[in-house]
Amino acid sequence: RRGGAGRRSKRGRQGGGMAAVLGRLAELPSLLALSRSALVRHWDPPALDRALEWARYFQHLHDRFRARPQLRQALGRRLRRAQPCPPALGFSALGRCPELLGLALLARRKAAARLLALPRRAGDTEPWARAEAQLLLGRLREEEEQEEEEEEQEGAGRRRWLCGVLERLPPGRAFAVAAAALALLGRGSGGAEGAAGGERDGSGPGGNRESAAGGGCVAGLLLSWLLGNPERFSAFCLCLPGALLASLAGHYPQLSRPYLDLLTGWGSHLHYDPLQGRWVKSCLEKAELSWDELRERLSCLCQGSALLREQTQAALELLKTRDGDFKVRGLSVWTDLLMEVEE
């Protein structure tokens, strides 16, 4: 009897301890909100020390319970209930509390400065877009961790978050950031994983495969967002330079065919003006690109990989044949375009 009473007493103390932990956890969103407000300017050294202590405490909770799924899920649920507005933080946020409190702000600024200082290459994205893409990929990594904790359908949470973020941005900015993120992933820089270090950048056993798989999943979400809406994809291709689009098409086969179809669709609305001696738009609302713009974009595709060049030339050859297989200029836009890109 004494043993049974002792066990009940121990369980009672453990339950009380967990209730205290959950109660403290509910204060984290308020602390984070306060740290991002103007009031933080008035924090004195003792207030800052207390904030740092709380950050270390929550980080300790993360390290202690991350290998215990039931407790981890309980803490994650309690944390999300304490937040009135999405996007809600999950259990993984506890391990980053110092960063969330703004202690890594200087490091982020230095990283952004390094991104801005990177040399430009042909087909490269704008420095500001690369910096924002790094942050986007990092946040998608956080969403992935939260999905794992919640056992949510694969990709559903990240897809909702990504669509919400990109669709709140002005279209030109959203397209530039999406292109920069795809470029980072396509070049194998690792995006968010490369910035995280340790096992996330593939330094652990099997890390390269896991990083590549994660990057492919994120790229799939971005491509799904772009290709899922024809008007959005058309605007994306009009907004970005031909060299960048050719680079992306070379990295992502699922992007190359829709892009080539779009270009040839625009080309079909050009007609030859004998008085001007050149191809002009026959329907202003449908022919989005001029002759010079179309030629430049197709030339960029032919200057890419061998596979991309062969795909582009084969598409133009087929259209040329269907159009009468003319050998002289001025009779078929496809004849003239093929002559231009093969020079």
Side-chain angles (χ1 to χ4, degrees), residues 101-264:
L101 282 170
L103 303 180
L105 182 59
L106 181 59
R108 284 183 177 181
R109 286 179 176 172
K110 287 182 178 178
R114 288 184 63 188
L115 284 170
L116 294 171
L118 288 176
R120 295 291 302 281
R121 293 177 290 186
D124 211 347
T125 51
E126 291 293 334
W128 64 265
R130 295 202 303 278
E132 290 193 12
Q134 287 278 15
L135 297 177
L136 178 75
L137 294 174
R139 188 65 180 87
L140 283 170
R141 175 73 185 190
E142 295 171 9
E143 289 290 327
E144 180 183 17
E145 292 176 353
Q146 184 167 321
E147 282 179 6
E148 292 172 356
E149 294 158 15
E150 298 176 356
E151 300 180 355
E152 191 171 352
Q153 183 179 355
E154 184 179 358
R158 282 176 293 166
R159 189 177 296 109
R160 286 194 301 270
W161 181 85
L162 177 66
C163 292
V165 168
L166 292 176
E167 290 171 12
R168 281 196 295 268
L169 295 175
R173 182 178 171 192
F175 296 151
V177 171
L182 287 169
L184 287 169
L185 293 168
R187 288 173 187 155
S189 64
E193 293 83 358
E199 294 183 359
R200 290 186 186 174
D201 65 6
S203 60
N208 289 329
R209 292 189 298 272
E210 293 171 5
S211 179
C217 182
V218 171
L221 293 175
L222 289 164
L223 291 171
S224 176
W225 179 76
L226 286 171
L227 297 171
N229 184 312
E231 292 182 358
R232 178 186 296 142
F233 182 63
S234 176
F236 172 79
C237 294
L238 283 172
C239 180
L240 298 174
L244 175 56
L245 289 167
S247 176
L248 294 178
H251 285 302
Y252 302 101
Q254 59 269 56
L255 189 67
S256 61
R257 173 51 63 181
Y259 178 46
L260 186 55
D261 289 344
L262 193 62
L263 292 179
T264 55

Side-chain angles (χ1 to χ4, degrees), residues 267-282:
S268 66
H269 295 290
L270 296 175
H271 79 276
Y272 193 77
D273 186 337
L275 296 179
Q276 299 185 50
R278 61 190 182 91
W279 293 91
V280 297
K281 297 179 180 181
S282 60

